[in-house]
Amino acid sequence: MKRLVLFVLFVLSKMVASAKSFDQSSRPIGGRLEAFSLSYCLSWRLAVETNNIKGWRTVPVQCLHHVEAYMIGGQYDSDLNLIVDQINNYIDRITLSDDGLDAWILDVDDTCLSNIFYYKGKRFGVDPYDPQAFKEWALRGICPAIPSILRLFLKLVENGFKVFLITGRDETTFAQPTLHNLHFQGFFGFERLILRSEAHKGQSGMVYKSEIRRKLLEEEGFRIWGNVGDQWSDLHGQFLANATFKLPNPMYFVP
Amino acid sequence: MKRLVLFVLFVLSKMVASAKSFDQSSRPIGGRLEAFSLSYCLSWRLAVETNNIKGWRTVPVQCLHHVEAYMIGGQYDSDLNLIVDQINNYIDRITLSDDGLDAWILDVDDTCLSNIFYYKGKRFGVDPYDPQAFKEWALRGICPAIPSILRLFLKLVENGFKVFLITGRDETTFAQPTLHNLHFQGFFGFERLILRSEAHKGQSGMVYKSEIRRKLLEEEGFRIWGNVGDQWSDLHGQFLANATFKLPNPMYFVP
C-alpha cells in the first residue's frame, strides 16, 4: 500500500510539473530565454509598426514563431478589426458632395488581398524577398480577401466614394491576374485599379504612390478622404490623404 | 491507508488545478474574457502607437491592468531600449560639420523625464487629464530621467550635436522647476530648453512645435538631424526633422 501511495505521489508530481510549465518562472533557464525573446520580438514589432525601424530586409530569426503566432493566431485579425472600427467612425462623420469627386485609396497586397499563405512558405518573412516566387504566387490570382477590409471596401462603395486601388505590382505582368483575383474575392465597384506602369518602374513605393495621388488631386480634382495601406510608403510622401490608416504587417518592408 | 491515498489524491488534484490555472483554456469563462480583454488592449495600444486612433481622452478602463503591466513590467523599457539602439545606429552614420549647426530635438515629458509616478495615481491614464494635479506634480521637479533617453542625450552632446529640448509646458509657470528637474537628473549640456511662451498659448502641440522648428531651420540655419518624442504631435506637422522617432506612450494623447 505504501508503494501505491508513492506511485500515486510520483504520477501526480509529474502532472503538477507538467501543468506548471505554463508558468514561465518555473523554467529558470528556458523560461527566461523565452521571456527575453518574447520581449525583444514585441519591441521589434512595435518599432516596425511605428516606423522606428526602416528599411529592414527580413524578420529576425528569433521572432519567427512570434510573427507566425501573431499573423495566424488571431491578434492580427483583432488589430485589423479595431482599425476598421476607427475608419468606420471617421467615414460616418464625412458628408459627401454630389460632384462625384470624393475619393478613397486602398493598397492591394496585404491590404485588400492577403499574402499570408505565400509568406507561410517563406517563414513569415524570415526568408529574404524572393521576387520570382512571389511573381508565381501573384500570377495564380488566389490571394484571399482580408475580410475586415473587404467589408470596409463595400461600405465605401455603398456610401458613394470613388475607391482607387493602387498597387506597386507591375502593370504589364499583373494587371489581369490582379483584376481577376480582386473580382473573385468580391471586390466589385471600385473606380480604378492602378498598377505600376513603365513610367514608374524602379521608383520607390512612396515616390510612385505620391505621384499617383498628385494626379488624382491636381489633375482630376478628387478629394482624397482616406488612404489605407500596410506600408508607411503607401501613406507617407507628398499629396497626402486627409486621413491615413496604417495596417499591421510584420512580414516585409517596402520602401 | 485507503483514506490516506484518497487524501493525497485530493491534495494533489488541487495542486494540479491551481498550477493549471496558468493556462487560460482551463478557465472556460474567466479565461476567455481575459483573453478577449488582452487581445483588445493589445490592438488598442498598437492603434494608439501607430496613430490610427487620434484624439483619445482616456485609456479604456478594461485596459488599466494591461497598460499598468506594460509601463512598469519591463516591456516599455524594452521598447525604449530597442528604439534607442535604432537611433544610435542612425547617429553613427552622421558626419557632423564644423559650423556648429547640427541640431537634434528631444521632447521633455515622457521623453527625457518620466511621469509614470504621477500617472500611477491617475490609473495610468484611465482617469481624465487633471491640469491642476499635473501642475502641482511638475512644479515639484522630481520627475526621474528615462535612463535610455538620458544615455542618448549624453551621446548626442558628446558627439557635438546642439540639443534642443522643446516642451509644451508653459514658460512662465514651469521654466525654473523644469530646468532644475533636468539638471538634477543629469541633463547637462543642452543648447536650449524651449518652453511654450505667451505667443504660442492655446496652440496645439503640433502647430507650436512646427513653428519652433521653422525658426531653428529658417531663421537660425540649423540642420535638424533627428527629433524624438512620445507624441505624434512632437514629430508631425511642418518643417520636419530628417528622421523622427516615436517613443511609446499609452497613457495620454496630446494633439
Side-chain angles (χ1 to χ4, degrees):
Chain A
M1 198 60 178
K2 199 175 163 191
R3 283 172 65 185
L4 176 62
V5 173
L6 284 172
F7 175 75
V8 169
L9 279 168
F10 173 77
V11 170
L12 286 173
S13 72
K14 285 286 168 197
M15 283 170 72
V16 171
S18 139
K20 262 203 159 171
S21 76
F22 291 115
D23 174 30
Q24 283 171 342
S25 60
S26 67
R27 286 179 297 181
I29 296 172
R32 239 178 287 152
L33 266 178
E34 262 176 48
F36 171 77
S37 184
L38 173 63
S39 176
Y40 172 78
C41 296
L42 283 169
S43 294
W44 179 82
R45 193 159 55 77
L46 182 67
V48 160
E49 294 302 346
T50 50
N51 210 20
N52 285 324
I53 301 182
K54 300 171 186 83
W56 55 279
R57 290 179 186 278
T58 52
V59 171
V61 68
Q62 69 264 44
C63 299
L64 165 58
H65 296 303
H66 174 78
V67 172
E68 178 176 16
Y70 172 72
M71 290 304 293
I72 63 177
Q75 194 56 41
Y76 171 65
D77 301 309
S78 164
D79 290 353
L80 289 174
N81 285 334
L82 188 135
I83 298 167
V84 171
D85 286 347
Q86 293 296 315
I87 301 176
N88 283 332
N89 291 344
Y90 171 65
I91 291 172
D92 292 340
R93 295 196 309 269
I94 298 174
T95 309
L96 273 72
S97 73
D98 52 8
D99 61 6
L101 291 171
D102 295 297
W104 194 284
I105 295 174
L106 298 174
D107 169 57
V108 175
D109 282 299
D110 294 296
T111 298
C112 294
L113 301 176
S114 173
N115 292 307
I116 290 184
F117 289 144
Y118 170 78
Y119 274 95
K120 203 177 166 187
K122 295 294 178 186
R123 297 196 295 162
F124 293 92
V126 169
D127 295 341
Y129 179 57
D130 180 344
Q132 186 56 35
F134 185 78
K135 183 182 168 184
E136 284 162 25
W137 159 259
L139 283 174
R140 292 173 69 192
I142 56 163
C143 306
I146 295 182
S148 49
I149 304 296
L150 178 57
R151 283 196 300 276
L152 167 67
F153 168 82
L154 295 172
K155 177 178 171 141
L156 287 165
V157 172
E158 197 183 300
N159 282 20
F161 286 94
K162 298 287 166 67
V163 180
F164 293 87
L165 306 184
I166 308 182
T167 172
R169 289 184 179 193
D170 177 70
E171 189 168 31
T172 323
T173 316
F174 295 108
Q176 280 317 305
T178 307
L179 205 59
H180 288 149
N181 197 154
L182 286 163
H183 285 161
F184 193 71
Q185 290 296 321
F187 288 89
F188 283 103
F190 48 84
E191 181 70 11
R192 224 177 288 164
L193 167 65
I194 301 174
L195 297 100
R196 189 192 291 265
S197 66
E198 275 298 314
H200 299 291
K201 227 168 177 170
Q203 284 177 344
S204 74
M206 196 169 80
V207 168
Y208 154 59
K209 294 198 171 186
S210 292
E211 174 58 13
I212 300 294
R213 289 195 300 272
R214 188 196 66 73
K215 283 184 186 160
L216 293 176
L217 283 165
E218 293 198 338
E219 295 181 12
E220 305 194 50
F222 285 104
R223 290 173 292 277
I224 307 178
W225 286 99
N227 185 3
V228 181
D230 65 300
Q231 300 289 326
W232 285 107
S233 55
D234 296 327
L235 311 172
H236 282 174
Q238 294 187 287
F239 307 98
L240 303 182
N242 297 348
T244 60
F245 299 92
K246 167 70 173 75
L247 307 184
N249 186 351
M251 302 186 300
Y252 60 89
F253 175 91
V254 178
Chain B
M1 198 61 180
K2 200 177 165 191
R3 283 172 66 184
L4 176 63
V5 173
L6 284 172
F7 175 74
V8 167
L9 278 168
F10 173 78
V11 169
L12 286 173
S13 72
K14 285 287 167 196
M15 284 171 69
V16 171
S18 139
K20 260 203 158 173
S21 76
F22 292 114
D23 174 30
Q24 282 172 342
S25 61
S26 66
R27 287 177 297 178
I29 298 172
R32 240 180 285 152
L33 266 178
E34 262 176 48
F36 171 77
S37 183
L38 173 63
S39 177
Y40 172 78
C41 296
L42 283 168
S43 294
W44 178 82
R45 192 158 57 75
L46 182 67
V48 159
E49 293 303 346
T50 51
N51 210 21
N52 285 324
I53 301 183
K54 299 170 186 84
W56 54 280
R57 290 178 185 280
T58 53
V59 171
V61 67
Q62 69 264 43
C63 299
L64 165 57
H65 295 303
H66 174 77
V67 172
E68 178 176 15
Y70 171 72
M71 291 304 295
I72 65 178
Q75 194 56 42
Y76 170 65
D77 301 310
S78 164
D79 290 353
L80 288 174
N81 284 335
L82 188 136
I83 298 167
V84 170
D85 286 347
Q86 293 297 315
I87 300 175
N88 283 332
N89 291 344
Y90 170 66
I91 291 172
D92 291 341
R93 296 197 307 269
I94 299 173
T95 309
L96 272 73
S97 72
D98 53 7
D99 60 8
L101 291 171
D102 294 297
W104 194 284
I105 295 172
L106 298 174
D107 169 57
V108 175
D109 282 298
D110 295 296
T111 298
C112 292
L113 301 176
S114 173
N115 292 306
I116 290 184
F117 289 142
Y118 170 78
Y119 274 93
K120 202 177 167 188
K122 296 291 178 187
R123 297 195 296 161
F124 293 93
V126 169
D127 295 340
Y129 178 57
D130 180 344
Q132 186 56 35
F134 186 78
K135 182 182 168 185
E136 284 162 25
W137 159 259
L139 283 174
R140 291 173 70 192
I142 56 165
C143 306
I146 295 181
S148 49
I149 304 297
L150 178 58
R151 283 197 298 276
L152 167 67
F153 167 83
L154 294 171
K155 176 176 171 144
L156 286 165
V157 172
E158 197 183 300
N159 281 23
F161 287 93
K162 298 287 165 68
V163 180
F164 293 87
L165 306 183
I166 307 182
T167 172
R169 290 185 179 193
D170 176 71
E171 189 168 32
T172 322
T173 316
F174 295 108
Q176 279 317 304
T178 307
L179 204 59
H180 288 150
N181 197 155
L182 286 163
H183 284 160
F184 193 72
Q185 290 296 322
F187 288 89
F188 283 103
F190 49 86
E191 182 69 10
R192 224 176 287 164
L193 166 65
I194 301 174
L195 298 100
R196 190 192 289 265
S197 66
E198 274 298 312
H200 298 291
K201 227 169 179 171
Q203 285 177 344
S204 73
M206 197 169 79
V207 169
Y208 153 60
K209 293 197 170 183
S210 291
E211 174 58 13
I212 300 294
R213 289 195 300 273
R214 188 196 66 72
K215 282 183 186 160
L216 294 177
L217 283 165
E218 295 197 338
E219 294 180 12
E220 305 194 49
F222 284 105
R223 292 174 291 279
I224 307 178
W225 285 99
N227 185 4
V228 181
D230 65 300
Q231 300 288 324
W232 285 107
S233 56
D234 295 328
L235 311 172
H236 282 174
Q238 296 187 284
F239 306 99
L240 303 182
N242 297 348
T244 61
F245 299 92
K246 166 68 173 74
L247 307 184
N249 186 350
M251 302 187 298
Y252 61 89
F253 173 91
V254 178

